[in-house]
Amino acid sequence: MTATTFAPFSRAQLRHVDNSALALARGDNGIPHPLFHAAELAHAKEKIEAWPGYQPSTLRSLASLAAELNVGHILYKDEGERFSLGSFKALGGAYAVSELALNGADEIEQITVTTATDGNHGLSVAWGAKNHGMQAVIYIHAEVSQGREQALLNLGAEVIRVEGNYDESVRICYEAAKKNGWHIISDTTSGDAGHDVARKVMTGYSVMVTEIVAQITDELPTHVFVQGGVGGLAATVCEYFRIAYGDRAPKFIVVEPELAPCLYLSAEAEQAIAVDVVEETVMAGLSCGEVSSVAWPVLFHYANDFLTIPDALVAPTMKILANPFGGDDPIVAGESAVAGLAGFIAATQCDELKRTLNLESNSRVLVIGTEGATDPALYQSLTGLSAHAVRKTKTDRDLS
Ligand SMILES: Cc1ncc(COP(=O)(O)O)c(C=O)c1O
């Protein structure tokens, strides 16, 4: 690491909406109903903890990076080894599938589940279907990489590639499901449809936040930077922390690619609006033009800030994690995993934003590394390193 490591972050053009200020101006007192009920959270925890191979993912401390950036602490929830799938998404789609298996009226092997995906959510659904002996038909869009397609095929799913972007694949998937009587296991909503399933998927994600709350044994974070696609992850974390910590909940900052800023633009417009994604961001999991209508009310009322970042920050952030400062653990993090951390680093390099976000030398920042090298070829091309080599460096360090 050199003095120029943070240069791309200082140069980055960020867009920022202070949602707390907007909420104050509109006299927003929050939403009356919580997103999750305690019994549902407990049920998801019990079920997912019983899945073979379950273990909490690691909450890492990046003390050397924190010192470089002059903040008190950086915590990194590392989802790169979540089950065999390498992303937090393993908790969501597969949980909704397992609930269908539990409650479904049909014979299990007669059930076909379907979803549109840019990779990770589809893997979760296909994995859940395989574990329960169901069929899975997964829709991917034109830009989804060959590697991600192959991973879906490896789980026995039928994979259908469609023209157009993610939002188009969601539309085609819904049409096919209606025609064929398939069960849609979507991580988002389409118009008024899919609310219950999307909420189930998010209930699955909550298990990751339960782990974080258990893993934070000393002072609470002051800031959470979480990346957004349709907003399901961000809303889950935001809502859960509100339940767990009440008035002590950290400042919550949603980070998105500037090429797919549907949450940011919705915050700016003070209502959910759709964005046409014309150019694909390298952060494939965040390339969404329409917010989830389950997630949106939570973020609208409770997220403090919305931030967009350019794609140019992705590779530098992945490299900082792969080849870290001082004694920090080398971490394999995929393109969509690093958006929150990239947004945070960029904010530390901009005096005005740093002040607005109250980032100070005693700040304790939590980020969620939502995936590992889910596309190993892309990982190597962006970092110049193989995921295997980074893991080996870590193992060698642990042993020495
Ligand atoms: C690795 C990764 N991180 C973050 C997200 C964003 O989640 P959401 O779409 O719920 O906002 C995704 C979505 O696919 C993802 O794959």
Side-chain angles (χ1 to χ4, degrees):
M1 289 291 145
T2 68
T4 57
T5 304
F6 299 121
F9 299 88
S10 320
R11 281 196 301 270
Q13 297 282 328
L14 310 174
R15 290 201 286 168
H16 169 244
V17 167
D18 184 341
N19 192 48
S20 296
L22 293 179
L24 198 65
R26 64 180 173 252
D28 186 345
N29 291 321
I31 45 176
H33 298 296
L35 176 62
F36 302 122
H37 300 289
E40 293 171 319
L41 297 177
H43 179 77
K45 181 172 182 308
E46 185 197 327
K47 291 290 170 195
I48 290 177
E49 286 184 357
W51 291 355
Y54 169 80
Q55 53 182 37
S57 65
T58 310
L59 185 65
R60 301 186 190 284
S61 167
L62 306 182
S64 302
L65 181 60
E68 290 290 331
L69 296 172
N70 196 24
V71 292
H73 216 117
I74 302 173
L75 295 169
Y76 181 99
K77 179 69 168 166
D78 188 354
E79 290 294 303
E81 314 242 306
R82 182 65 79 179
F83 290 104
S84 51
L85 306 188
S87 92
F88 82 101
K89 288 258 157 186
L91 299 167
Y95 175 65
V97 171
S98 71
E99 288 294 284
L100 181 67
L102 203 66
N103 305 323
D106 305 331
E107 292 288 317
I108 290 248
E109 49 298 344
Q110 306 296 324
I111 296 178
T112 297
V113 290
T114 189
T115 190
T117 188
D118 31 46
N120 292 325
H121 172 67
L123 273 185
S124 184
V125 171
W127 182 61
K130 181 166 182 265
N131 294 343
H132 289 284
M134 300 174 183
Q135 319 302 314
V137 181
I138 308 293
Y139 286 79
I140 57 175
H141 61 84
E143 300 295 326
V144 173
S145 72
Q146 297 267 314
R148 293 203 159 104
E149 177 174 4
Q150 190 56 50
L152 288 163
L153 293 169
N154 293 347
L155 286 171
E158 182 183 339
V159 181
I160 299 178
R161 190 183 282 274
V162 303
E163 298 285 316
N165 62 18
Y166 170 73
D167 299 302
E168 186 64 5
S169 65
V170 171
R171 200 184 56 71
I172 293 173
C173 168
Y174 270 66
E175 274 175 17
K178 210 158 135 198
K179 197 165 123 217
N180 296 305
W182 297 336
H183 294 264
I184 300 168
I185 307 290
S186 178
D187 56 354
T188 191
T189 49
S190 180
D192 289 337
H195 204 275
D196 289 347
V197 174
R199 216 171 62 79
K200 275 257 148 71
V201 169
M202 290 161 67
T203 312
Y205 302 159
S206 75
V207 172
M208 177 191 73
V209 199
T210 311
E211 293 170 4
I212 297 174
V213 169
Q215 286 164 328
I216 295 176
T217 48
D218 49 3
E219 286 174 67
L220 300 186
T222 54
H223 296 74
V224 188
F225 285 76
V226 177
Q227 49 273 42
V230 300
L233 165 73
T236 303
V237 180
C238 186
E239 173 80 353
Y240 197 107
F241 278 178
R242 227 169 47 76
I243 297 171
Y245 299 141
D247 289 347
R248 296 178 308 144
K251 195 171 179 62
F252 196 86
I253 301 118
V254 180
V255 183
E256 284 176 290
E258 70 181 17
L259 292 173
C262 59
L263 297 162
Y264 167 88
L265 289 176
S266 297
E268 201 176 55
E270 300 191 64
Q271 60 178 312
I273 55 168
V275 178
D276 211 5
V277 174
V278 279
E279 190 184 333
E280 287 298 322
T281 161
V282 69
M283 294 167 264
L286 312 183
S287 183
C288 311
E290 281 183 43
V291 305
S292 158
S293 59
V294 187
W296 175 245
V298 174
L299 298 174
F300 179 55
H301 294 290
Y302 296 117
N304 299 100
D305 296 271
F306 291 80
L307 201 60
T308 70
I309 56 162
D311 275 20
L313 298 188
V314 173
T317 313
M318 290 166 75
K319 286 184 198 164
I320 288 173
L321 290 169
N323 180 19
F325 287 96
D328 292 351
D329 283 341
I331 295 173
V332 176
E335 317 81 67
S336 299
V338 300
L341 180 60
F344 159 64
I345 298 175
T348 64
Q349 306 302 301
C350 167
D351 289 341
E352 197 188 329
L353 190 54
K354 198 172 161 185
R355 242 189 333 271
T356 310
L357 297 180
N358 302 329
L359 285 167
E360 290 165 1
S361 57
N362 59 355
S363 295
R364 299 171 62 81
V365 177
L366 170 69
V367 296
I368 302 185
T370 45
E371 68 176 348
T374 50
D375 186 338
L378 187 55
Y379 181 84
Q380 182 142 9
S381 79
L382 288 170
T383 61
L385 298 162
S386 76
H388 175 75
V390 176
R391 275 187 223 107
K392 184 163 181 319
T393 315
K394 166 151 187 354
T395 316
D396 292 348
R397 270 204 202 184
D398 290 348
L399 293 174
S400 69

